[in-house]
Amino acid sequence: MEEPDAGAFAFTGDWRDYAPIAFTNLLLTIVTLGVYRFWATTRTRRYLWSRTRFIDEPLEWTGTGMELFIGFLLVLALFGIPLLFLQFGMQTLIFNGQARLAFSLAFLAFAMIFYLSGVARFRMLRYRLSRTWWHGIRGGSDEKGWAYGWSYVWRYVVAAFSLYLLIPWAMMSLWNDRWSAMSFGPFPFRAKAGPGAVFKRFLLFYLLPLALFVLLTIAGIGMREGETALDPAAAAMMGFLFLFIYAGLGVIALVFYAKFFRVAVGGMSLSGLHFHFRARSRDWLMLILGDIALVVLTLGIGAIFLSYRHWKFFITHLDATGEISLSELTQSTTAAPRQGEGLADAFDIGAI
């Protein structure tokens, strides 16, 4: 298939077309005390996928609300209820003087939740690819994500022992592992991005808190011994630094993530296709500021359009170059999961 002059991906949706779906979803979710949200998610995805074109054909979402609901119930029964009993059990042990045993159980519970959050990320991607169709072909993976969960744990443990300097390596290697385990039709995804390209921006985020600590210490010197009030200049500096901590660190984290996502997607390929993501830090910042303005100015109601905005942002900046042969694009033989992304839902992972 020849590369078209325009971008390979295009989004043709309109918020005015999506508004009836969004408001209906909101009303039914309120009336059903939240139960309808699984079907609301499915309706939203069907609209967004149907308005997304890849080369010459729109995508199709084939997942159902019942799959998401069953996935949620399974996670609630297998993990949610046991963790609830574990929490009450730990409190009982503490009241009975078994604090050491209680803290051991708390550590095990934390480790289990951390492991499951890694599994959730893998299974969420696997489920979404298995329900995304293009030219009648779907994606998926034969792996279940249990091994990826352990990889998620040990990589972040190694990163922690390095005083978190290896966080970019952990993030990028996990991204590569997750996508390299996926396929679309008969073709496996390849993900080979390296962490070196994002390390400078990570160092900025990593070292800034240390610099702020030094400046705050210097400002604290302005408080003279025996006085209850700060020197005006020192107080102004501390006020500025506290403001910068809340606003500046968020912006720097955004700058790092923008670079990370661009590099990670840029390292991916599928058969003869190579993917690219063009959004820069300014684009991400405008997206976040727009989200905040939308939610604040509408007193929270505008939050129902965030999924639409995020999907449009993602597709608008995603591109692919190269060729793929439709004659070789046969149906995927990977196993399709029968439940939705219950784990990801439980850990609040994924924006759409």
Side-chain angles (χ1 to χ4, degrees):
M1 182 174 296
E2 297 296 332
E3 177 188 348
D5 294 332
F9 289 90
F11 182 70
T12 59
D14 189 297
W15 71 269
R16 285 162 293 196
D17 296 334
Y18 175 68
I21 297 174
F23 281 108
T24 304
N25 284 344
L26 175 63
L27 179 62
L28 291 176
T29 301
I30 293 173
V31 170
T32 60
L33 302 178
V35 174
Y36 186 76
R37 68 186 181 90
F38 305 101
W39 285 267
T41 299
T42 297
R43 289 188 68 200
T44 295
R45 289 178 181 175
R46 281 179 180 164
Y47 173 82
L48 296 177
W49 265 240
S50 69
R51 299 301 189 275
T52 302
R53 299 187 67 85
F54 176 56
I55 304 180
D56 59 349
E57 185 82 4
L59 303 182
E60 181 184 1
W61 176 260
T62 62
T64 67
M66 183 58 72
E67 291 171 348
L68 296 177
F69 184 56
I70 291 175
F72 172 78
L73 292 180
L74 285 175
V75 170
L76 182 66
L78 294 176
F79 304 108
I81 294 176
L83 284 175
L84 184 63
F85 277 103
L86 184 61
Q87 181 180 3
F88 285 115
M90 287 188 295
Q91 293 176 355
T92 303
L93 287 172
I94 292 175
F95 286 135
N96 290 318
Q98 301 289 331
R100 183 174 298 178
L101 180 57
F103 286 119
S104 298
L105 289 176
F107 175 78
L108 288 176
F110 171 78
M112 181 58 69
I113 290 173
F114 192 64
Y115 166 74
L116 290 176
S117 66
V119 176
R121 292 176 187 277
F122 186 96
R123 294 176 72 88
M124 176 183 68
L125 179 59
R126 174 176 176 251
Y127 172 74
R128 293 184 181 185
L129 280 173
S130 73
R131 298 301 187 270
T132 298
W133 290 58
W134 182 70
H135 274 285
I137 308 297
R138 65 171 176 84
S141 174
D142 281 327
E143 296 185 25
K144 304 293 180 60
W146 305 117
Y148 177 85
W150 290 117
S151 181
Y152 184 86
V153 171
W154 77 257
R155 279 193 167 94
Y156 275 114
V157 168
V158 169
F161 275 109
S162 69
L163 299 180
Y164 299 100
L165 273 171
L166 292 179
I167 285 292
W169 162 78
M171 291 176 63
M172 198 64 81
S173 59
L174 286 168
W175 172 284
N176 291 339
D177 285 358
R178 192 162 64 244
W179 274 100
S180 295
M182 304 293 160
S183 62
F184 196 87
F187 303 124
F189 282 97
R190 306 291 185 194
K192 299 179 179 178
V198 300
F199 197 69
K200 286 183 180 178
R201 295 200 183 193
F202 177 76
L203 275 183
L204 181 64
F205 179 76
Y206 183 86
L207 294 176
L208 187 63
L210 297 178
L212 291 176
F213 175 77
V214 173
L215 290 174
L216 283 172
T217 302
I218 295 174
I221 297 175
M223 177 178 281
R224 298 173 182 173
E225 186 175 356
E227 293 185 354
T228 57
L230 282 174
D231 177 84
M237 180 181 292
M238 291 189 71
F240 171 77
L241 290 175
F242 277 117
L243 179 64
F244 187 75
I245 286 173
Y246 283 104
L249 280 182
V251 172
I252 293 174
L254 187 68
V255 168
F256 163 70
Y257 188 74
K259 179 76 172 182
F260 170 84
F261 202 77
R262 213 162 52 242
V263 172
V265 175
M268 290 178 54
S269 62
L270 176 72
S271 185
L273 290 175
H274 298 273
F275 296 93
H276 315 279
F277 195 73
R278 299 190 301 269
R280 312 202 57 95
S281 303
R282 181 183 62 255
D283 302 313
W284 284 92
L285 183 61
M286 295 306 294
L287 174 72
I288 300 299
L289 293 177
D291 285 352
I292 294 173
L294 178 63
V295 173
V296 171
L297 295 178
T298 60
L299 302 179
I301 297 177
I304 60 178
F305 288 96
L306 294 186
S307 295
Y308 173 90
R309 284 175 49 80
H310 296 168
W311 181 260
K312 181 180 179 181
F313 177 84
F314 175 70
I315 295 299
T316 301
H317 293 93
L318 183 64
D319 200 1
T321 54
E323 298 180 354
I324 188 169
S325 172
L326 284 179
S327 61
E328 297 177 3
L329 190 60
T330 56
Q331 184 56 278
S332 172
T333 58
T334 56
R338 287 176 292 180
Q339 303 89 33
E341 48 211 35
L343 271 176
D345 194 41
F347 293 112
D348 195 23
I349 298 172
I352 298 173

CSV table of all heavy atoms in Angstrom, one decimal, residues 114-150:
chain,number,residue,atom,x,y,z
A,114,PHE,N,1.1,-3.5,43.4
A,114,PHE,CA,2.0,-3.0,42.4
A,114,PHE,C,2.2,-3.9,41.3
A,114,PHE,O,2.2,-3.5,40.1
A,114,PHE,CB,3.4,-2.7,43.1
A,114,PHE,CG,4.3,-1.9,42.3
A,114,PHE,CD1,4.1,-0.6,42.0
A,114,PHE,CD2,5.5,-2.5,41.9
A,114,PHE,CE1,5.0,0.1,41.2
A,114,PHE,CE2,6.4,-1.8,41.2
A,114,PHE,CZ,6.1,-0.4,40.8
A,115,TYR,N,2.3,-5.2,41.6
A,115,TYR,CA,2.4,-6.2,40.6
A,115,TYR,C,1.2,-6.2,39.6
A,115,TYR,O,1.3,-6.2,38.4
A,115,TYR,CB,2.6,-7.6,41.2
A,115,TYR,CG,2.3,-8.8,40.3
A,115,TYR,CD1,3.3,-9.1,39.3
A,115,TYR,CD2,1.2,-9.5,40.3
A,115,TYR,CE1,3.1,-10.2,38.5
A,115,TYR,CE2,1.0,-10.6,39.5
A,115,TYR,CZ,1.9,-10.9,38.5
A,115,TYR,OH,1.7,-12.0,37.7
A,116,LEU,N,0.0,-6.1,40.3
A,116,LEU,CA,-1.3,-6.2,39.5
A,116,LEU,C,-1.4,-4.9,38.6
A,116,LEU,O,-2.0,-5.0,37.5
A,116,LEU,CB,-2.5,-6.3,40.4
A,116,LEU,CG,-2.6,-7.7,41.1
A,116,LEU,CD1,-3.8,-7.7,42.0
A,116,LEU,CD2,-2.8,-8.8,40.0
A,117,SER,N,-0.9,-3.8,39.1
A,117,SER,CA,-1.0,-2.6,38.2
A,117,SER,C,-0.2,-2.8,36.9
A,117,SER,O,-0.6,-2.3,35.9
A,117,SER,CB,-0.5,-1.4,39.0
A,117,SER,OG,0.9,-1.5,39.3
A,118,GLY,N,1.0,-3.5,37.0
A,118,GLY,CA,1.7,-3.8,35.8
A,118,GLY,C,0.9,-4.8,34.9
A,118,GLY,O,0.8,-4.6,33.7
A,119,VAL,N,0.3,-5.8,35.5
A,119,VAL,CA,-0.5,-6.7,34.7
A,119,VAL,C,-1.7,-6.0,34.0
A,119,VAL,O,-2.0,-6.2,32.9
A,119,VAL,CB,-1.1,-7.9,35.6
A,119,VAL,CG1,-2.0,-8.8,34.8
A,119,VAL,CG2,0.1,-8.7,36.2
A,120,ALA,N,-2.2,-5.0,34.8
A,120,ALA,CA,-3.4,-4.3,34.2
A,120,ALA,C,-3.0,-3.5,33.0
A,120,ALA,O,-3.8,-3.4,32.0
A,120,ALA,CB,-3.9,-3.3,35.3
A,121,ARG,N,-1.8,-2.9,33.0
A,121,ARG,CA,-1.4,-2.1,31.8
A,121,ARG,C,-1.3,-3.0,30.6
A,121,ARG,O,-1.6,-2.7,29.5
A,121,ARG,CB,-0.1,-1.4,32.1
A,121,ARG,CG,-0.1,-0.3,33.1
A,121,ARG,CD,1.2,0.3,33.4
A,121,ARG,NE,1.1,1.2,34.6
A,121,ARG,CZ,0.8,2.5,34.4
A,121,ARG,NH1,0.5,2.9,33.2
A,121,ARG,NH2,0.7,3.3,35.5
A,122,PHE,N,-0.7,-4.2,30.8
A,122,PHE,CA,-0.5,-5.1,29.7
A,122,PHE,C,-1.9,-5.6,29.2
A,122,PHE,O,-2.2,-5.6,28.0
A,122,PHE,CB,0.3,-6.3,30.1
A,122,PHE,CG,0.6,-7.3,29.0
A,122,PHE,CD1,1.9,-7.2,28.4
A,122,PHE,CD2,-0.2,-8.3,28.6
A,122,PHE,CE1,2.2,-8.1,27.4
A,122,PHE,CE2,0.1,-9.1,27.6
A,122,PHE,CZ,1.3,-9.0,27.0
A,123,ARG,N,-2.8,-6.0,30.1
A,123,ARG,CA,-4.1,-6.6,29.7
A,123,ARG,C,-5.0,-5.6,29.1
A,123,ARG,O,-5.8,-5.9,28.2
A,123,ARG,CB,-4.7,-7.3,30.9
A,123,ARG,CG,-3.9,-8.5,31.3
A,123,ARG,CD,-4.5,-9.1,32.6
A,123,ARG,NE,-5.8,-9.8,32.3
A,123,ARG,CZ,-5.9,-11.1,31.9
A,123,ARG,NH1,-4.8,-11.8,31.8
A,123,ARG,NH2,-7.0,-11.7,31.7
A,124,MET,N,-4.9,-4.3,29.5
A,124,MET,CA,-5.6,-3.2,28.9
A,124,MET,C,-5.3,-3.1,27.4
A,124,MET,O,-6.2,-3.0,26.6
A,124,MET,CB,-5.4,-1.9,29.7
A,124,MET,CG,-6.1,-0.7,29.1
A,124,MET,SD,-5.7,0.8,29.9
A,124,MET,CE,-3.9,1.0,29.5
A,125,LEU,N,-4.0,-3.0,27.1
A,125,LEU,CA,-3.6,-2.9,25.8
A,125,LEU,C,-4.0,-4.1,24.9
A,125,LEU,O,-4.5,-4.0,23.8
A,125,LEU,CB,-2.0,-2.7,25.7
A,125,LEU,CG,-1.4,-2.6,24.3
A,125,LEU,CD1,-2.0,-1.3,23.6
A,125,LEU,CD2,0.1,-2.4,24.5
A,126,ARG,N,-3.8,-5.3,25.5
A,126,ARG,CA,-4.2,-6.5,24.8
A,126,ARG,C,-5.7,-6.5,24.5
A,126,ARG,O,-6.1,-6.9,23.4
A,126,ARG,CB,-3.9,-7.7,25.7
A,126,ARG,CG,-4.3,-9.1,25.2
A,126,ARG,CD,-3.8,-10.1,26.2
A,126,ARG,NE,-4.3,-11.5,25.8
A,126,ARG,CZ,-5.2,-12.2,26.5
A,126,ARG,NH1,-5.7,-11.6,27.6
A,126,ARG,NH2,-5.5,-13.4,26.1
A,127,TYR,N,-6.5,-6.1,25.4
A,127,TYR,CA,-8.0,-6.1,25.2
A,127,TYR,C,-8.3,-5.1,24.1
A,127,TYR,O,-9.2,-5.4,23.2
A,127,TYR,CB,-8.7,-5.8,26.5
A,127,TYR,CG,-10.2,-5.6,26.4
A,127,TYR,CD1,-11.0,-6.7,26.1
A,127,TYR,CD2,-10.7,-4.3,26.4
A,127,TYR,CE1,-12.4,-6.5,26.0
A,127,TYR,CE2,-12.1,-4.1,26.2
A,127,TYR,CZ,-12.9,-5.2,26.0
A,127,TYR,OH,-14.3,-5.0,25.8
A,128,ARG,N,-7.8,-3.9,24.2
A,128,ARG,CA,-8.2,-2.9,23.3
A,128,ARG,C,-7.7,-3.2,21.8
A,128,ARG,O,-8.5,-2.9,20.9
A,128,ARG,CB,-7.5,-1.5,23.7
A,128,ARG,CG,-8.1,-1.0,25.0
A,128,ARG,CD,-7.6,0.3,25.4
A,128,ARG,NE,-8.2,0.8,26.6
A,128,ARG,CZ,-8.0,1.9,27.2
A,128,ARG,NH1,-7.2,2.8,26.6
A,128,ARG,NH2,-8.6,2.2,28.3
A,129,LEU,N,-6.6,-3.8,21.7
A,129,LEU,CA,-6.1,-4.3,20.4
A,129,LEU,C,-7.0,-5.4,19.8
A,129,LEU,O,-7.3,-5.4,18.6
A,129,LEU,CB,-4.7,-4.7,20.4
A,129,LEU,CG,-3.6,-3.6,20.3
A,129,LEU,CD1,-2.2,-4.2,20.5
A,129,LEU,CD2,-3.7,-2.8,19.0
A,130,SER,N,-7.5,-6.3,20.7
A,130,SER,CA,-8.3,-7.4,20.3
A,130,SER,C,-9.7,-6.9,19.9
A,130,SER,O,-10.4,-7.6,19.1
A,130,SER,CB,-8.4,-8.4,21.4
A,130,SER,OG,-9.3,-7.9,22.4
A,131,ARG,N,-10.1,-5.7,20.3
A,131,ARG,CA,-11.4,-5.2,20.0
A,131,ARG,C,-11.4,-4.1,18.9
A,131,ARG,O,-12.4,-3.5,18.6
A,131,ARG,CB,-12.2,-4.7,21.2
A,131,ARG,CG,-12.4,-5.8,22.3
A,131,ARG,CD,-13.3,-6.9,21.7
A,131,ARG,NE,-13.7,-7.8,22.7
A,131,ARG,CZ,-13.0,-8.9,23.1
A,131,ARG,NH1,-11.9,-9.2,22.5
A,131,ARG,NH2,-13.4,-9.7,24.1
A,132,THR,N,-10.2,-3.8,18.5
A,132,THR,CA,-10.0,-2.8,17.4
A,132,THR,C,-9.8,-3.5,16.1
A,132,THR,O,-8.9,-4.3,15.9
A,132,THR,CB,-8.7,-1.9,17.7
A,132,THR,OG1,-8.9,-1.2,18.9
A,132,THR,CG2,-8.5,-0.9,16.6
A,133,TRP,N,-10.7,-3.2,15.1
A,133,TRP,CA,-10.7,-3.8,13.8
A,133,TRP,C,-10.4,-2.8,12.8
A,133,TRP,O,-10.9,-1.6,12.8
A,133,TRP,CB,-12.1,-4.5,13.5
A,133,TRP,CG,-12.3,-5.7,14.4
A,133,TRP,CD1,-12.4,-5.8,15.8
A,133,TRP,CD2,-12.6,-7.0,14.0
A,133,TRP,NE1,-12.6,-7.0,16.2
A,133,TRP,CE2,-12.8,-7.8,15.1
A,133,TRP,CE3,-12.7,-7.6,12.7
A,133,TRP,CZ2,-13.1,-9.2,15.0
A,133,TRP,CZ3,-13.0,-9.0,12.6
A,133,TRP,CH2,-13.1,-9.8,13.8
A,134,TRP,N,-9.7,-3.2,11.8
A,134,TRP,CA,-9.4,-2.4,10.6
A,134,TRP,C,-9.3,-3.4,9.4
A,134,TRP,O,-8.6,-4.3,9.4
A,134,TRP,CB,-8.0,-1.7,10.7
A,134,TRP,CG,-7.7,-0.8,9.6
A,134,TRP,CD1,-8.3,0.4,9.2
A,134,TRP,CD2,-6.6,-1.0,8.6
A,134,TRP,NE1,-7.7,0.9,8.1
A,134,TRP,CE2,-6.7,0.1,7.7
A,134,TRP,CE3,-5.7,-2.0,8.4
A,134,TRP,CZ2,-5.8,0.2,6.7
A,134,TRP,CZ3,-4.8,-1.9,7.4
A,134,TRP,CH2,-4.9,-0.8,6.5
A,135,HIS,N,-10.1,-3.1,8.4
A,135,HIS,CA,-10.3,-4.0,7.2
A,135,HIS,C,-10.7,-5.4,7.7
A,135,HIS,O,-10.3,-6.4,7.1
A,135,HIS,CB,-9.0,-4.1,6.4
A,135,HIS,CG,-8.8,-3.0,5.4
A,135,HIS,ND1,-9.5,-3.0,4.2
A,135,HIS,CD2,-8.1,-1.9,5.4
A,135,HIS,CE1,-9.1,-1.9,3.5
A,135,HIS,NE2,-8.3,-1.2,4.2
A,136,GLY,N,-11.5,-5.5,8.7
A,136,GLY,CA,-11.9,-6.8,9.2
A,136,GLY,C,-10.8,-7.5,10.0
A,136,GLY,O,-11.1,-8.7,10.4
A,137,ILE,N,-9.7,-6.9,10.3
A,137,ILE,CA,-8.6,-7.6,11.0
A,137,ILE,C,-8.5,-6.9,12.3
A,137,ILE,O,-8.6,-5.7,12.5
A,137,ILE,CB,-7.3,-7.4,10.2
A,137,ILE,CG1,-7.5,-7.8,8.7
A,137,ILE,CG2,-6.1,-8.1,10.8
A,137,ILE,CD1,-7.8,-9.2,8.5
A,138,ARG,N,-8.1,-7.8,13.3
A,138,ARG,CA,-7.9,-7.2,14.7
A,138,ARG,C,-6.5,-7.5,15.2
A,138,ARG,O,-5.7,-8.2,14.5
A,138,ARG,CB,-8.9,-7.9,15.6
A,138,ARG,CG,-8.7,-9.4,15.8
A,138,ARG,CD,-9.5,-10.0,16.9
A,138,ARG,NE,-9.4,-11.5,17.0
A,138,ARG,CZ,-8.4,-12.1,17.6
A,138,ARG,NH1,-7.5,-11.4,18.2
A,138,ARG,NH2,-8.3,-13.4,17.7
A,139,GLY,N,-6.2,-6.9,16.3
A,139,GLY,CA,-4.9,-7.2,17.0
A,139,GLY,C,-5.1,-8.1,18.2
A,139,GLY,O,-6.1,-8.7,18.4
A,140,GLY,N,-4.0,-8.1,19.0
A,140,GLY,CA,-4.1,-9.0,20.2
A,140,GLY,C,-2.7,-9.5,20.6
A,140,GLY,O,-1.7,-9.0,20.1
A,141,SER,N,-2.7,-10.4,21.5
A,141,SER,CA,-1.5,-11.0,22.0
A,141,SER,C,-1.9,-12.4,22.7
A,141,SER,O,-2.9,-12.5,23.3
A,141,SER,CB,-0.8,-10.1,23.1
A,141,SER,OG,0.3,-10.8,23.7
A,142,ASP,N,-1.0,-13.3,22.5
A,142,ASP,CA,-1.2,-14.6,23.2
A,142,ASP,C,-0.7,-14.6,24.6
A,142,ASP,O,-1.1,-15.5,25.4
A,142,ASP,CB,-0.5,-15.8,22.4
A,142,ASP,CG,-1.3,-16.2,21.2
A,142,ASP,OD1,-2.5,-16.1,21.2
A,142,ASP,OD2,-0.7,-16.5,20.1
A,143,GLU,N,0.0,-13.6,25.0
A,143,GLU,CA,0.5,-13.6,26.4
A,143,GLU,C,-0.6,-12.9,27.2
A,143,GLU,O,-1.3,-12.1,26.8
A,143,GLU,CB,1.8,-12.7,26.4
A,143,GLU,CG,3.0,-13.4,25.7
A,143,GLU,CD,4.2,-12.6,25.9
A,143,GLU,OE1,4.4,-11.9,26.9
A,143,GLU,OE2,5.1,-12.7,25.0
A,144,LYS,N,-0.6,-13.4,28.5
A,144,LYS,CA,-1.7,-12.9,29.4
A,144,LYS,C,-1.3,-11.7,30.3
A,144,LYS,O,-2.1,-11.1,30.9
A,144,LYS,CB,-2.1,-14.1,30.3
A,144,LYS,CG,-2.5,-15.4,29.6
A,144,LYS,CD,-3.8,-15.1,28.8
A,144,LYS,CE,-4.3,-16.3,28.1
A,144,LYS,NZ,-4.6,-17.5,29.0
A,145,GLY,N,0.0,-11.5,30.3
A,145,GLY,CA,0.5,-10.3,31.1
A,145,GLY,C,1.0,-10.6,32.5
A,145,GLY,O,1.5,-9.8,33.2
A,146,TRP,N,0.9,-11.9,32.9
A,146,TRP,CA,1.4,-12.3,34.3
A,146,TRP,C,2.9,-12.1,34.3
A,146,TRP,O,3.4,-11.6,35.4
A,146,TRP,CB,1.0,-13.7,34.6
A,146,TRP,CG,-0.5,-13.9,34.5
A,146,TRP,CD1,-1.1,-14.8,33.7
A,146,TRP,CD2,-1.5,-13.3,35.3
A,146,TRP,NE1,-2.5,-14.7,33.8
A,146,TRP,CE2,-2.8,-13.8,34.8
A,146,TRP,CE3,-1.5,-12.3,36.3
A,146,TRP,CZ2,-4.0,-13.4,35.3
A,146,TRP,CZ3,-2.8,-11.9,36.8
A,146,TRP,CH2,-4.0,-12.4,36.3
A,147,ALA,N,3.7,-12.5,33.3
A,147,ALA,CA,5.1,-12.4,33.3
A,147,ALA,C,5.5,-10.9,33.2
A,147,ALA,O,6.5,-10.5,33.8
A,147,ALA,CB,5.7,-13.2,32.1
A,148,TYR,N,4.7,-10.2,32.4
A,148,TYR,CA,5.0,-8.7,32.3
A,148,TYR,C,4.9,-8.0,33.7
A,148,TYR,O,5.6,-7.1,34.0
A,148,TYR,CB,4.0,-8.1,31.3
A,148,TYR,CG,4.2,-6.6,31.2
A,148,TYR,CD1,5.2,-6.1,30.3
A,148,TYR,CD2,3.4,-5.7,31.9
A,148,TYR,CE1,5.4,-4.7,30.2
A,148,TYR,CE2,3.6,-4.3,31.8
A,148,TYR,CZ,4.6,-3.9,30.9
A,148,TYR,OH,4.8,-2.5,30.8
A,149,GLY,N,3.9,-8.5,34.5
A,149,GLY,CA,3.7,-7.9,35.8
A,149,GLY,C,5.0,-8.1,36.7
A,149,GLY,O,5.4,-7.1,37.4
A,150,TRP,N,5.7,-9.2,36.6
A,150,TRP,CA,6.9,-9.4,37.4
A,150,TRP,C,8.0,-8.5,36.8
A,150,TRP,O,8.8,-7.9,37.5
A,150,TRP,CB,7.4,-10.8,37.3
A,150,TRP,CG,6.5,-11.7,38.1
A,150,TRP,CD1,5.7,-12.8,37.7
A,150,TRP,CD2,6.2,-11.7,39.6
A,150,TRP,NE1,5.0,-13.3,38.7
A,150,TRP,CE2,5.3,-12.7,39.9
A,150,TRP,CE3,6.7,-10.8,40.6
A,150,TRP,CZ2,4.8,-12.9,41.1
A,150,TRP,CZ3,6.2,-11.0,41.9
A,150,TRP,CH2,5.3,-12.0,42.1
